[in-house]
Amino acid sequence: MAEGEWVPAQAPPRRIEVHGLHLRWWEPGDVAEMLEVVLASQEHLRAFLPWASGYGAETADGYLERTREGLRTHTDFSYRVEDPATGELLGSAGLMARIGPRALEIGYWVRADRTREGIATRAAAALTRVALALPDVDRVEIHHDAANHASAGVPRRLGYARAGEYGRAVRAPAQTGRAVRWVTTGDAAR
């Protein structure tokens, strides 16, 4: 984090329970299962997520190390999303302090064999609620590639307002170079 960048003073909860999902901060012991799930979902994920290409044990270890650093610095609160009954890893979702003061961005991915079950929507709804409950957060955003229609459905279902598009570098095979920005201040998401 560069000096002077905004981060929330308080961290969101370590664990979040939501209907049919359990979210908890990633832990070092999660690396093997994360590697297995990402590799099994690699073709699905790599279309829009550049980190999924060439994914391996070193990538998984590095990610978990960065999540620990993000928790320490309050720049990234990444959660393992799992089935509360079985503990099965369903995906990941997180809150990132990278869009300016008093705001957090939500990111998410779901394993390929569990898409279209509302997992990303329920996880994003839970993260929206906890983010807006933080005393110094007034806005939550979701950004996705313009061609990623599945990701677009999440903020739409949650009542986020579409706040426009912007250009960005193409880093994954299905990316268009246009990102869509969605914003909520909580009124529709609460």
Side-chain angles (χ1 to χ4, degrees):
M1 175 178 70
E3 188 175 327
E5 287 184 10
W6 178 87
V7 296
Q10 180 180 326
R14 177 178 296 276
R15 297 178 185 279
I16 304 168
E17 302 290 334
V18 63
H19 177 70
L21 295 179
H22 179 203
L23 285 71
R24 69 163 170 80
W25 292 348
W26 286 100
E27 299 171 357
D30 294 326
V31 71
E33 186 178 16
M34 181 174 53
L35 177 60
E36 179 184 333
V37 168
V38 170
L39 290 177
S41 301
Q42 197 165 27
E43 275 308 303
H44 162 73
L45 295 173
R46 71 179 288 280
F48 291 105
L49 301 173
W51 55 261
S53 292
Y55 201 85
E58 191 173 300
T59 314
D61 283 333
Y63 174 74
L64 289 181
E65 181 60 36
R66 285 189 306 281
T67 66
R68 286 190 293 280
E69 179 64 12
L71 292 171
R72 186 187 70 71
T73 61
H74 283 201
T75 56
D76 186 337
F77 306 97
S78 292
Y79 291 84
R80 169 192 169 98
V81 179
E82 63 186 27
D83 182 312
T86 64
E88 174 189 25
L89 175 60
L90 303 174
S92 184
L95 294 164
M96 295 147 292
R98 63 183 183 192
I99 55 172
R102 303 189 66 81
L104 292 171
E105 180 183 350
I106 294 177
Y108 44 81
W109 62 266
V110 175
R111 62 188 294 154
D113 62 346
R114 298 297 301 268
T115 60
R116 304 285 183 205
E117 295 180 25
I119 293 166
T121 301
R122 286 180 282 150
L127 291 178
T128 300
R129 281 190 298 277
V130 302
L132 292 171
L134 295 173
D136 54 351
V137 174
D138 298 327
R139 184 177 88 248
V140 180
E141 299 187 9
I142 295 175
H143 299 212
H144 62 82
D145 189 86
N148 191 338
H149 302 295
S151 279
V154 172
R156 187 177 296 117
R157 283 187 290 278
L158 296 178
Y160 278 61
R162 191 175 190 278
E165 292 188 15
Y166 61 93
R168 69 176 177 192
V170 172
R171 298 184 351 228
Q175 288 183 346
T176 63
R178 300 293 308 160
V180 180
R181 179 177 163 253
W182 298 81
V183 178
T184 189
T185 56
D187 299 330
R190 289 181 199 210

